[in-house]
Amino acid sequence: MGIFKDGWDAFVTPVREFNDGDQSCEAELQATNNATGHTITYYGSTQNLHGHAEIDALYQFLKSIGWNVANFNGYTLTIHCTAKPCCKYCASVMGNLGIFATGGTFKSTKSMGISYALPYEVRNFLRNILVVTNETILSELSQ
Ligand SMILES: [Zn+2]
């Protein structure tokens, strides 16, 4: 029950608890256009102040498609994040959006510190695609 658990379960990758101790992290999101087969890679970083690296990469991709749900459905997405596991919130967001994990990308049951945040635009997109309220997203996918 709930979008957190649905997303967590849908993000199929092993649970691995490790942390290199560094706050910063980088992630790559590969977006393949299903019609053309063309892939673009978005490089996410905690430096860009959109929260965790996975969320930053997602932010960049969603911005590129105009935050549009119909456009979104024309892509297959894969996240590559090997420096540290995806925190429980990022893992759930990835799962909720049907994003696949590459080998070497793991998920963690932990929240991974205070730098996690869901930018307003990402929250709004989740609300539209999952057809849930903003309150649900705030209560389930934010710390
Ligand atoms: Zn995270």
Side-chain angles (χ1 to χ4, degrees):
M1 290 293 288
I3 59 171
F4 175 80
K5 187 174 188 314
D6 288 351
W8 171 266
D9 290 345
F11 190 58
V12 179
T13 198
V15 174
R16 209 47 89 77
E17 310 287 0
F18 62 91
N19 193 330
D20 59 9
D22 193 341
Q23 269 295 324
S24 69
C25 174
E26 292 180 354
E28 294 176 20
L29 181 72
Q30 293 186 327
T32 301
N33 184 309
N34 295 334
T36 66
H38 184 61
T39 299
I40 296 178
T41 302
Y42 295 85
Y43 297 90
S45 167
T46 48
Q47 317 276 325
N48 294 331
L49 306 180
H50 295 131
H52 286 172
E54 301 90 324
I55 302 297
D56 177 50
L58 177 64
Y59 181 99
Q60 293 177 44
F61 166 68
L62 292 176
K63 190 177 179 190
S64 81
I65 59 164
W67 307 97
N68 181 290
V69 170
N71 289 347
F72 179 86
N73 290 329
Y75 287 85
T76 298
L77 302 174
T78 306
I79 192 78
H80 179 78
C81 186
T82 55
K84 54 180 71 166
C86 297
C87 79
K88 64 178 185 177
Y89 296 116
C90 289
S92 181
V93 171
M94 297 297 122
N96 274 313
L97 294 178
I99 298 172
F100 298 100
T102 58
T105 298
F106 302 101
K107 62 182 180 180
S108 166
T109 59
K110 300 195 173 82
S111 60
M112 298 279 173
I114 56 167
S115 58
Y116 172 82
L118 268 184
Y120 167 78
E121 296 93 331
V122 174
R123 225 164 61 210
N124 207 33
F125 183 80
L126 282 166
R127 196 168 54 105
N128 290 335
I129 200 165
L130 300 175
V131 195
V132 295
T133 64
N134 202 34
E135 289 69 31
T136 299
I137 290 172
L138 284 172
S139 67
E140 296 203 34
L141 297 180
S142 300
Q143 53 184 357

